[in-house]
Amino acid sequence: MISADHVSVEVEGLRRQFKTKSAPVVALDGVSLKVGEGEIFGVLGPNGAGKTTMIRILSTLLMPSGGSAKVMGFDVEHEAEKVRRVINMASGAEKAGYDFISAKRNLWFFSQLYGIPGEVAEKRIGDLSERLGLTKYLDRKFYALSTGYRQRATIARAFVNDPRVVFLDEPTIGLDVMTARSIREFLQTEAKTHGRTIMLATHNMAEVEAICDRVAIIDKGKIIAEGTPEDLKRSLGAPALVMEVSPPPKDLEMLRQVAGVKGFTSSADEERGLSTVQVVVENDSAANGASAAMATAGYRVVASWRKEATLEEVFVALVGSGFKEREEEGGP
Ligand SMILES: Nc1ncnc2c1ncn2[C@@H]1O[C@H](COP(=O)(O)OP(=O)(O)OP(=O)(O)O)[C@@H](O)[C@H]1O
Ligand SMILES: [Mg+2]
């Protein structure tokens, strides 16, 4: 539990609706959560879930329609000025700099908007750039940077005012694996060594598993689960049983008869004279049943183990469909 003294973001019954030509859209439908100082908190959800709306409200760019939100104890609606002094935000999807000045001048410009003394700003920009691998590119005009370096510059900008809380909307969208990883490492260091709170909205499960201390899964404006990535995975148990079976079975029809078996796949390893059979099970007794059925059919189970759920499986179990299907449906 987060102790009351160290709460950095506190959201209570937050609502936001948008007027549209047809019916009003409820983007946030009573969201409550607490984030502790120094935590990396993930807001995970499919397209249209309400992630950006929440980030925009918390960073004072959008007013709530109901409920309340505090950042470092300041109310986002009534004390917006105070909130702005202790936060920063960046969105991976938006272009966040002036094209015709260099990356360095961009960072300098933003540092001066915050009124940071020249020497301090110089040193901070140098340090952030170094840690984000941006130093070599600082003199390049913003438009001439590749997506990855522009994103690094955008991330640097989000830390230039030494914020206590940083809101990031899809910070690694469109980046290659290595660039995304180095940005994630940077964020972890910022949270752990400077005690900054980082709240990031994403639909990237791998990102959440890699760096988030806690995560809220949000769908249609509501939080449907919250906890550490480990908690969430444990809540689903181990939905797969993996068996190495010898000799490679000709078919796996015997598994179809076992109650609680939802599906299976197998791949044969001729050299080792065995097959690896992966069975999706509803519960432990289905797993036991599957391995017994193998033995009854005359196959030896050389080794077997259970596989923990992935965050994606948790999501599918909670929402009833994967991200892919949602995207194909065209949103919520
Ligand atoms: N300015 C607006 N006017 C009308 N509807 C809006 C507006 N902004 C957001 N919405 C609607 O609110 C809902 C939540 O949108 P939001 O952008 O917060 O989702 P998101 O979780 O960030 O999605 P994505 O993963 O696609 O970025 C959606 O149904 C969206 O269409
Ligand atoms: Mg969004």
Side-chain angles (χ1 to χ4, degrees):
M1 256 347 296
I2 313 157
S3 92
D5 296 347
H6 295 102
V7 175
S8 49
V9 179
E10 187 167 10
V11 174
E12 204 45 70
L14 197 63
R15 284 181 58 79
R16 170 72 208 207
Q17 63 185 51
F18 292 104
K19 288 198 190 90
T20 63
K21 280 193 190 123
S22 44
V25 175
V26 180
L28 290 178
D29 193 6
V31 167
S32 301
L33 55 84
K34 271 186 194 167
V35 182
E37 278 198 81
E39 258 195 312
I40 302 186
F41 189 93
V43 179
L44 178 69
N47 291 135
K51 306 181 293 294
T52 297
T53 304
M54 177 142 81
I55 294 285
R56 288 174 62 82
I57 291 175
L58 292 175
S59 44
T60 76
L61 299 173
L62 190 71
M63 294 285 252
S65 320
S68 67
K70 283 184 183 168
V71 178
M72 299 307 286
F74 302 122
D75 189 284
V76 294
E77 201 172 348
H78 308 290
E79 297 171 292
E81 274 308 317
K82 288 182 178 155
V83 172
R84 285 179 203 138
R85 264 181 246 146
V86 293
I87 65 161
N88 205 334
M89 87 83 95
S91 162
E94 281 165 31
K95 199 169 71 67
Y98 296 98
D99 267 345
F100 293 98
I101 55 175
S102 68
K104 185 167 185 183
R105 288 235 148 249
N106 264 289
L107 291 172
W108 178 257
F109 173 75
F110 286 106
S111 74
Q112 295 314 291
L113 284 185
Y114 286 106
I116 301 166
E119 264 175 42
V120 179
E122 185 86 23
K123 182 168 180 315
R124 205 173 281 159
I125 291 168
D127 174 53
L128 288 168
S129 303
E130 191 64 43
R131 291 177 42 227
L132 282 161
L134 192 64
T135 312
K136 272 201 297 194
Y137 300 88
L138 275 178
D139 292 326
R140 229 186 249 188
K141 297 244 181 352
F142 203 71
Y143 77 86
L145 293 172
S146 69
T147 310
Y149 284 93
R150 208 175 305 146
Q151 202 103 319
R152 289 171 202 242
T154 302
I155 299 285
R157 198 212 69 213
F159 289 85
V160 83
N161 60 326
D162 194 18
R164 298 314 305 149
V165 184
V166 182
F167 298 103
L168 300 171
D169 195 1
E170 311 275 5
T172 60
I173 199 163
L175 299 182
D176 68 48
V177 176
M178 292 308 288
T179 308
R181 186 182 296 171
S182 70
I183 288 182
R184 287 177 196 144
E185 281 168 10
F186 170 84
L187 297 178
Q188 275 182 308
T189 308
E190 285 300 312
K192 299 308 157 224
T193 62
H194 299 283
R196 286 188 228 289
T197 304
I198 297 176
M199 196 161 170
L200 65 95
T202 182
H203 52 253
N204 185 331
M205 314 249 188
E207 182 147 284
V208 169
E209 296 210 58
I211 64 169
C212 291
D213 299 307
R214 282 192 308 133
V215 54
I217 297 182
I218 176 171
D219 187 36
K220 297 178 187 153
K222 286 196 163 86
I223 291 182
I224 53 175
E226 196 189 327
T228 66
E230 286 308 312
D231 285 344
L232 293 180
K233 288 189 282 182
R234 245 196 316 271
S235 70
L236 203 61
L241 164 72
V242 187
M243 294 181 277
E244 287 185 340
V245 180
S246 173
K250 286 191 198 62
D251 65 59
L252 295 168
E253 286 309 307
M254 63 296 226
L255 293 177
R256 261 186 230 292
Q257 318 304 323
V258 180
V261 165
K262 295 203 277 188
F264 43 81
T265 55
S266 79
S267 62
D269 182 339
E270 300 295 345
E271 226 164 81
R272 292 172 66 207
L274 48 78
S275 265
T276 304
V277 181
Q278 183 154 331
V279 191
V280 181
V281 292
E282 247 162 38
N283 47 37
D284 293 349
S285 89
N288 295 338
S291 95
M294 272 296 160
T296 310
Y299 298 101
R300 200 156 65 84
V301 179
V302 182
S304 75
W305 61 92
R306 297 292 297 277
K307 202 168 118 317
E308 197 186 48
T310 62
L311 211 48
E312 177 141 22
E313 286 162 336
V314 173
F315 183 86
V316 172
L318 287 168
V319 181
S321 63
F323 280 166
K324 276 231 160 52
E325 290 102 307
R326 281 298 180 94
E327 277 163 21
E328 280 156 14
E329 275 168 23

